[in-house]
Amino acid sequence: MASSSIDSRRQHLRRELTRHVSELGYSLSLEAPGPEEPEILRMSPVRRRIAYGETVLRSDLKKKRCHERLRAFSQRRTRRRGSILFFIGVSMDDQRELETLLVDLEIRSGIRGGHVHIVPIAKPETSVRRASAKRSARG
């Protein structure tokens, strides 16, 4: 699959996940300094709580690096040992597979992982091309 297609899908997921996290009150954007930091790092200005966000494409679901990142961010704690909210943006089509993966990786179960939230994201709406004036005039 073309890299630009993957990039555009990831950008769409990241944009929608960022919007979701912001709507929940995590509106302050913090700078993520390196590759070992989450894609999205936000803070609530009122509660001073941090939230992480990662996007997962279908192709990521089988990658060891993705599994390691999901596990690492789900296990991070605050200085006071509290859980950090962790949001994972994924295409609606891949939601079930991600849910299964999180159980397999022991990140979520009936008992643990309540701070890990899957955010299913719809595909971007494609603009419908309108018939040109000449073509519709012939009709």
Side-chain angles (χ1 to χ4, degrees):
M1 192 166 289
S3 177
S4 64
S5 173
I6 291 172
D7 291 343
S8 65
R9 283 186 284 150
R10 189 170 310 276
Q11 286 175 355
H12 171 70
L13 290 176
R14 189 174 296 135
R15 191 171 38 253
E16 293 301 311
L17 182 59
T18 299
R19 180 179 13 227
H20 177 79
V21 172
S22 293
E23 288 173 354
L24 293 174
Y26 294 88
S27 56
L28 292 178
S29 181
L30 303 174
E31 193 170 323
E36 299 307 314
E37 294 302 319
E39 290 177 65
I40 298 169
L41 180 56
R42 303 304 281 273
M43 184 169 45
S44 165
V46 176
R47 291 181 251 129
R48 307 302 266 173
R49 299 234 12 212
I50 292 175
Y52 291 158
E54 281 285 304
T55 59
V56 176
L57 297 172
R58 175 174 286 159
S59 59
D60 296 335
L61 291 169
K62 301 217 183 307
K63 293 181 180 175
K64 185 178 180 184
R65 174 151 169 73
C66 173
H67 300 178
E68 290 169 355
R69 287 180 67 83
L70 292 175
R71 192 175 284 123
F73 296 132
S74 71
Q75 293 174 352
R76 283 197 184 170
R77 302 282 180 246
T78 65
R79 289 183 185 142
R80 295 183 182 161
R81 306 299 302 153
S83 297
I84 296 172
L85 284 178
F86 181 36
F87 296 91
I88 305 169
V90 65
S91 169
M92 286 180 167
D93 297 340
D94 302 328
Q95 179 180 356
R96 286 255 189 260
E97 199 170 337
L98 176 62
E99 289 170 351
T100 301
L101 176 64
L102 293 178
V103 170
D104 292 347
L105 295 174
E106 299 179 350
I107 292 172
R108 284 179 84 186
S109 68
I111 298 170
R112 60 181 301 181
H115 64 289
V116 178
H117 301 275
I118 296 173
V119 180
I121 297 172
K123 291 181 180 177
E125 293 182 24
T126 55
S127 58
V128 179
R129 287 191 173 163
R130 297 179 62 173
S132 69
K134 290 180 183 177
R135 186 180 292 167
S136 59
R138 287 186 206 157

